[in-house]
Amino acid sequence: MAVRVQPQSFDYGAECNAFAEAAVDAGAIVTFAGIVRNEGGTLRAMEIEHYPGMTERALSAIEGEARSRWQLSDALIIHRHGPLAPGETIMMVATASRHRADAFAAAAFLMDYLKSRAPFWKKETTASGSTGWVSAKDADEAALKRW
């Protein structure tokens, strides 16, 4: 079980392979990567800010919540901060379980939490300038309610 909040990019394939190699008792592994959308070519950059310490504690708590709800043998959350360009990987979630239903449900739960409740703040810069801080979308809030 690991949570990493970092400014540097990571190799999604290498992270998936390392996670899978360590999950020797798992019957299912689910992974997800979030990518900076290009927004039709208008996005120039995204800036992600967080409070060190607080963010890691919050992510560790939600990872613990996932472990208490589903039978997981392992879980991983990686989330970047700092300046990001379109096409860059923002975050990754991986879950491992003996059964696929638990792995899928836990991964979806973690992704929904990261999208709407994790203590990160995003600012977008488009071709026409900064759009300011990005708010959670109604659809993201609705997705979180299922848990």
Side-chain angles (χ1 to χ4, degrees), residues 37-119:
R37 283 188 298 268
N38 195 6
E39 301 296 350
T42 63
L43 186 70
R44 297 292 181 250
M46 176 182 284
E47 178 79 22
I48 299 177
E49 293 187 8
H50 78 296
Y51 290 116
M54 180 184 89
T55 301
E56 291 83 354
R57 283 190 302 276
L59 298 186
S60 292
I62 201 62
E63 186 267 344
E65 176 75 17
R67 283 187 285 114
S68 73
R69 290 179 180 218
W70 295 280
Q71 294 182 359
L72 299 178
S73 57
D74 204 359
L76 171 65
I77 299 171
I78 303 172
H79 204 297
R80 294 181 60 200
H81 62 87
L84 298 163
E88 287 192 73
T89 305
I90 300 172
M91 54 77 64
M92 172 185 175
V93 166
T95 56
S97 179
R98 291 184 54 80
H99 304 286
R100 70 177 182 260
D102 284 350
F104 273 110
F109 171 78
L110 291 170
M111 292 180 300
D112 286 345
Y113 173 82
L114 288 169
K115 188 71 175 164
S116 60
R117 290 289 188 273

